[in-house]
Structure formats: structure tokens, C-alpha cells
């Protein structure tokens, strides 16, 4: 997304474009999960800044972001850990226990190096049950010179 919240085609970006990557996920079973999100970055992008959790000032379009248990950033990836609990304390009465079964996080990125690159897929893995995972597909991206026509490709 753009910083104003408009959808953005990240397959072709001008160099120095700053944008927001939003990642969300949810558990669909009744077990608690200690999940680690790893969102790899292509060689032409860099982290431009963390976006705080909760309601983000000036970015109302983001909604409420989930506070991670831990967050880490490196040159080539963004990582965050979340504890996802089932929403019911007891199966019989399904009383809401106040825990989240979903998460939503965001990070600010910048397209810095011109060229063609691969955006690796993001992965969400339960650290206690590593076979329980979700992934997104990898895709090709291009970082163009500033102001270059996108060419429709």
C-alpha cells in the first residue's frame, strides 16, 4: 500500500518509493500457537521503518495492528512473533477468553536498488509444531529508475 493506504502494484516500483507491507493471519483450529512470521525481502528493497502496533497515527486505514510478542528486522527480512490462542476458554460454553486468534502487522519499506528481483514468500510457522505452517508464493518484482514509465509489464 502507499503510505496513504491506496493499493500499490509492488511488481513494478520506482526507485525510492516508500510503501507499507501489511501481513495478517489467523489460526483456524482450537489449539494455541506460538507463531513466527518471516517475510523475506527482495534484494532491491530495504526496511524503511517500523510501524507501531495498535492504532497508528496518520494511518487510520491500517486499522488496529496486533502487538507482537517480539519483532526483529534484518537487511533481508522482517520477523515478528505472535501467540494465537483459541477464542474459547471451554468448548462446552465457548466463553470468550479475550485472546486473539488473528494478527495484523505492518512495516514500512523502500525500493532502493534498480533491477529485477524475487520477492520470497512469507512464512508463518508454529515454533512448537513446525509442520503447522502457512506460506505465500514468491513472485518477481522490478525496481525502475525514478520516474520511468512502467511499460505495462
Amino acid at each position: 500500500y502507499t503510505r496513504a493506504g491506496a493499493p500499490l502494484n509492488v511488481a513494478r516500483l520506482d526507485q525510492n518509493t516508500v510503501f507499507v507491507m501489511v501481513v495478517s493471519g489467523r489460526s483456524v483450529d482450537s489449539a494455541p500457537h506460538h507463531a513466527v512470521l518471516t517475510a523475506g525481502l527482495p534484494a532491491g528493497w530495504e526496511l524503511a521503518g517500523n510501524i507501531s502496533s495498535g492504532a497508528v497515527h496518520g494511518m487510520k486505514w491500517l486499522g488496529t495492528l496486533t502487538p507482537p510478542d517480539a519483532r526483529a528486522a534484518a537487511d533481508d527480512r522482517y520477523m515478528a512473533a505472535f501467540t494465537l490462542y483459541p477464542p474459547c476458554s471451554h468448548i462446552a460454553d465457548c466463553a470468550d477468553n479475550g485472546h486473539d486468534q488473528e494478527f495484523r502487522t505492518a512495516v514500512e519499506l523502500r525500493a532502493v536498488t534498480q533491477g529485477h528481483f524475487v520477492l520470497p514468500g512469507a512464512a508463518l510457522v508454529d515454533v512448537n509444531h513446525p509442520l503447522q505452517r502457512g506460506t505465500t508464493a514468491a513472485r518477481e518484482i522490478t525496481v525502475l529508475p525514478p520516474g520511468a514509465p512502467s511499460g505495462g509489464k
Side-chain angles (χ1 to χ4, degrees):
Y1 294 95
T2 66
R3 296 192 79 225
L8 185 66
N9 178 10
V10 297
R12 298 182 71 79
L13 293 172
D14 283 352
Q15 185 179 25
N16 298 319
T17 299
V18 177
F19 57 102
V20 177
M21 175 178 68
V22 178
V23 181
S24 60
R26 69 185 185 104
S27 171
V28 294
D29 63 14
S30 60
H33 297 280
H34 299 284
V36 173
L37 167 70
T38 304
L41 302 178
W45 294 359
E46 71 178 7
L47 291 166
N50 268 327
I51 296 177
S52 61
S53 54
V56 180
H57 179 70
M59 294 183 166
K60 186 176 182 178
W61 61 270
L62 276 174
T64 301
L65 299 177
T66 309
D69 298 334
R71 186 182 327 201
D75 289 343
D76 63 345
R77 76 195 75 198
Y78 169 76
M79 297 177 72
F82 300 93
T83 303
L84 306 174
Y85 290 102
C88 300
S89 295
H90 300 92
I91 292 176
D93 64 4
C94 197
D96 185 357
N97 60 17
H99 291 294
D100 289 328
Q101 197 169 16
E102 302 180 12
F103 73 90
R104 182 175 171 88
T105 190
V107 65
E108 202 169 46
L109 302 172
R110 179 182 294 112
V112 291
T113 304
Q114 296 174 29
H116 303 283
F117 307 100
V118 174
L119 171 61
L124 184 68
V125 179
D126 183 327
V127 296
N128 296 322
H129 307 282
L131 294 179
Q132 294 183 352
R133 62 177 43 236
T135 59
T136 61
R139 60 192 273 192
E140 293 183 15
I141 62 108
T142 300
V143 177
L144 303 165
S150 66
K153 284 189 173 181

